[in-house]
Amino acid sequence: MAQRKNEHGLTPKQEAFCHAYVNAYGTEDFGNATAALLKVYGYKSQKGAWEAASRLMNDSKVTARLNELLLEKISEADANAQSLIDRDKMAANFDDALLWAPDPETGRDMKINITKLPKWIRVLGTWKTIGGRAVFVVDKEAARERLHKALIKTKVEHSMSDDFPMADGKVSITFRKNV
């Protein structure tokens, strides 16, 4: 009796093999078809597993599915990296004045209670003890450093400028495509 196949034309074990292969992304097993096959099929012999993995990797339906899953994984990683870069850009350009508001009774500026700050601000900062008091701060320099390191690792040429390094200048980032 023939095994049922999914919408990609793969058996359940072939589909599981593809997921085991792709989910090893970032580990030493990534790109190791034999390791993925051993996880799914339970071969006892390394040689038998290697031969079976080789056959699977030559199956056009399996390779098409692997490519599809790898593209999804890369898109996911790009989206996560982009959200971290966006957060660090907001932190680097953060206006500390958003943390202060006039006291209705005295009219003096007072630090706003952290629970009253919007969530997007709360995720940018951390608590530090300064002079025995817990103070909420947004570390702009750390954000700028993380941005610089992240952008150096990209394949896109970039430059960062901070017009007023001693003040709260805005960080601007420009990208140029590599030719």
Side-chain angles (χ1 to χ4, degrees):
M1 183 168 105
Q3 288 188 0
R4 65 185 159 84
K5 297 189 176 190
N6 65 12
E7 66 274 12
H8 305 287
L10 302 178
T11 66
K13 282 198 174 186
Q14 288 172 325
E15 181 73 18
F17 165 81
C18 291
H19 284 275
Y21 184 94
V22 170
N23 289 335
Y25 188 79
T27 71
E28 64 186 33
D29 284 343
F30 180 67
N32 187 337
T34 305
L37 188 115
L38 286 169
K39 285 181 183 172
V40 175
Y41 286 86
Y43 273 75
K44 303 289 185 233
S45 154
Q46 189 78 12
K47 184 176 189 282
W50 183 86
E51 290 169 353
S54 180
R55 280 192 303 276
L56 274 174
M57 293 303 286
N58 285 320
D59 183 325
S60 62
K61 290 178 183 170
V62 169
T63 55
R65 182 66 176 139
L66 283 172
N67 287 334
E68 190 177 288
L69 290 171
L70 285 169
L71 284 173
E72 286 175 16
K73 190 65 100 173
I74 290 167
S75 294
E76 206 174 273
D78 285 348
N80 289 339
Q82 187 59 51
S83 69
L84 292 174
I85 288 170
D86 290 345
R87 187 198 66 206
D88 280 339
K89 280 172 56 179
M90 284 193 302
N93 292 325
F94 184 72
D95 182 1
D96 288 328
L98 293 172
L99 298 175
W100 297 86
D103 182 339
E105 294 174 15
T106 64
R108 293 185 351 198
D109 278 346
M110 302 278 298
K111 208 58 150 166
I112 295 175
N113 184 322
I114 187 71
T115 59
K116 295 189 172 147
L117 291 172
K119 186 176 180 180
W120 72 268
I121 293 176
R122 292 194 309 255
V123 299
L124 298 179
T126 57
W127 290 96
K128 292 194 178 185
T129 305
I130 300 173
R133 292 183 49 205
V135 179
F136 181 78
V137 295
V138 176
D139 192 345
K140 296 176 186 185
E141 288 306 313
R144 288 180 175 126
E145 184 65 29
R146 283 191 306 270
L147 271 172
H148 186 63
K149 285 179 182 175
L151 293 171
I152 284 174
K153 291 179 183 178
T154 64
K155 292 191 180 353
V156 177
E157 188 180 334
H158 71 279
S159 65
M160 273 179 72
S161 68
D162 187 351
D163 296 332
F164 308 102
M166 300 308 287
D168 284 343
K170 297 285 185 195
V171 171
S172 63
I173 302 166
T174 56
F175 293 94
R176 290 177 299 283
K177 284 193 172 193
N178 288 338
V179 182

